[in-house]
Amino acid sequence: MRLLIVEDNRELASWLGKALRQAQYAVDIAHDGEDAEHMLKVASYAVVILDLSLPKIDGLTLLKRLRQGGNKVPVIILTANASLDGRITGLDSGADDYLAKPFEIAELEARIRAAVRRGHDRAAPEIAVGDLLFDGGTRQFSLGGETLALTPREHAVLEHLVMKVGTTVTKTALSESVFGFDDFADTSAIEIYVHRVRKKLEGSTVQIATLRGLGYLLRHAQ
């Protein structure tokens, strides 16, 4: 699952990026509003983590442009301004959530998970496909009641597919959700990870179907 951090404090942005990558997210970082606006035009994100005090284009202006352009990506505002008026302004400008600095990374991760579920219209914390179960609270998979061991890339592939269960996901969309700008991976790399996940689902009642010319579909095996 791919996130965009928009934060001009490079030390904080680096720390956030490292922590969220360890939590099995693909992460891109922009240090000003102009770069962020460009990245949002060329890539799709599950959640944007947005600071308000940004050079070139400030956070509120960026958020308003995003919403005016029809982009509904969930946005979590991070700011040192914890005033009521500041929160109201951010939420009225199109933010989905608001977190004041300083904060605990565990709380940010919980808010990201909640934003992802809302973005996919999935209020339930668990998603079941055959004997595969995804816990939206912990982001862990189990298969037949046993924890499913996955590498970070395998986890990213299966997580994106399970959040889109019943919907065909193109190879390009899957690739964009798994790899950040710094990964230099093409869509052919996705085939390798899909193959590996399929191997780990063998013998279960769930499968990843390939629809030629369309993409991949996670479904209950018939």
Side-chain angles (χ1 to χ4, degrees):
M1 199 160 292
R2 191 172 178 182
L3 310 177
L4 175 62
I5 297 171
V6 191
E7 170 62 63
D8 66 329
N9 183 321
R10 291 177 181 268
E11 184 176 352
L12 174 58
S14 177
W15 173 75
L16 275 177
K18 182 178 180 180
L20 293 173
R21 289 185 185 104
Q22 289 177 341
Q24 300 184 325
Y25 291 103
V27 179
D28 290 327
I29 297 174
H31 297 297
D32 63 66
E34 194 173 272
D35 282 349
E37 187 171 48
H38 171 72
M39 294 164 78
L40 285 160
K41 288 178 179 177
V42 300
S44 297
Y45 295 97
V47 176
V48 175
I49 301 165
L50 178 66
D51 183 36
L52 294 183
S53 301
L54 297 171
K56 297 186 179 180
I57 301 175
D58 67 84
L60 281 180
T61 299
L62 176 63
L63 178 57
K64 290 176 181 177
R65 290 183 183 179
L66 193 66
R67 296 308 188 221
Q68 289 168 358
N71 193 325
K72 298 180 180 179
V73 59
V75 174
I76 299 174
I77 288 178
L78 295 184
T79 182
N81 179 7
S83 69
L84 177 60
D85 287 344
R87 294 197 301 271
I88 291 173
T89 299
L91 293 170
D92 282 346
S93 297
D96 298 86
D97 204 348
Y98 206 103
L99 188 58
K101 302 174 184 176
F103 56 88
E104 295 292 334
I105 190 65
E107 181 178 4
L108 176 59
E109 288 183 37
R111 290 173 183 264
I112 290 171
R113 293 193 295 268
V116 169
R117 290 197 299 271
R118 289 195 299 270
H120 288 282
D121 295 323
R122 295 190 180 280
E126 294 185 346
I127 301 173
V129 185
D131 52 1
L132 177 70
L133 182 67
F134 176 69
D135 186 328
T138 63
R139 295 180 63 228
Q140 297 299 308
F141 287 97
S142 61
L143 188 65
E146 300 292 332
T147 299
L148 183 61
L150 298 165
T151 67
R153 296 290 192 212
E154 293 166 356
H155 186 282
V157 166
L158 190 54
E159 183 174 22
H160 188 81
L161 289 172
V162 81
M163 295 300 292
K164 296 283 190 178
V165 63
T167 303
T168 302
V169 178
T170 67
K171 188 183 295 184
T172 298
L174 190 55
S175 180
E176 288 181 349
S177 75
V178 173
F179 300 110
F181 281 116
D182 295 335
D183 292 321
F184 301 107
D186 58 36
T187 55
S188 63
I190 281 295
E191 297 175 6
I192 297 172
Y193 292 108
V194 169
H195 173 73
R196 291 177 181 175
V197 174
R198 279 182 173 141
K199 294 289 289 183
K200 294 187 176 182
L201 295 178
E202 283 183 352
S204 72
T205 60
V206 63
Q207 67 177 191
I208 301 173
T210 299
L211 305 180
R212 293 192 178 280
L214 297 176
Y216 299 106
L217 175 66
L218 183 72
R219 66 188 181 190
H220 188 180
Q222 300 297 318

